[in-house]
């Protein structure tokens, strides 16, 4: 993600009230693709939730607990026009994992079962 896109995304989410970017270096500097840095938008969960609700009318629709104690949440607008995936760390910091448009819930069908 380019710095310009990252800045635009930060402004869009309204996460500029606190330091919004946490940078994590990729230790594999010899990788063939040349990627050496990842950037994520992070803030207090309460601030992230407030901004997603106010700006996109998104609310939690699914969640799961990760093996490291974090919580992965899917936030969607009621009409499905927007969605956001957040990872909230045990310390209460939420980081944006992905966001997009046109969310659609699908019927759960376990693999290998006949419908």
């Amino acid at each position: 993600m380019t710095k310009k896109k990252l800045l635009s995304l930060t402004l869009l989410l309204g996460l500029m009230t606190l330091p919004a970017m946490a940078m994590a270096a990729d230790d594999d500097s010899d990788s063939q693709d040349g990627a050496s840095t990842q950037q994520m938008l992070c803030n207090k969960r309460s601030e992230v939730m407030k901004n997603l609700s106010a700006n996109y009318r998104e609310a939690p629709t699914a969640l799961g607990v990760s093996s490291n104690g974090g919580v992965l949440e899917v936030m969607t607008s009621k009409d499905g026009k927007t969605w956001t995936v957040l990872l909230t760390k045990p310390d209460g910091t939420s980081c944006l994992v992905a966001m997009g448009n046109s969310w659609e819930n699908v019927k759960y069908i376990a693999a290998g079962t006949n419908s």
Side-chain angles (χ1 to χ4, degrees), residues 97-109:
V97 175
M99 61 186 289
N101 299 303
S102 303
W103 182 265
E104 185 175 332
N105 290 321
V106 295
K107 182 178 177 184
Y108 176 79
I109 300 174

Side-chain angles (χ1 to χ4, degrees), residues 9-26:
L9 186 56
T10 301
L11 291 170
L12 184 64
L13 290 175
L15 297 176
M16 299 276 301
T17 56
L18 294 173
M21 291 186 284
M23 295 175 53
D26 183 350

Side-chain angles (χ1 to χ4, degrees), residues 86-100:
L86 298 175
L87 178 61
T88 301
K89 301 173 192 177
D91 70 0
T93 302
S94 291
C95 296
L96 180 71
V97 175
M99 61 186 289

Side-chain angles (χ1 to χ4, degrees), residues 63-73 86-90:
L63 62 88
V65 179
S66 67
S67 60
N68 70 355
V71 176
L72 186 75
E73 295 178 274
L86 298 175
L87 178 61
T88 301
K89 301 173 192 177

Side-chain angles (χ1 to χ4, degrees), residues 6-21 41-44 47-48 51 55:
L6 184 61
L7 180 58
S8 296
L9 186 56
T10 301
L11 291 170
L12 184 64
L13 290 175
L15 297 176
M16 299 276 301
T17 56
L18 294 173
M21 291 186 284
L41 298 175
C42 302
N43 205 341
K44 291 181 186 178
E47 289 296 316
V48 173
N51 286 310
N55 296 325

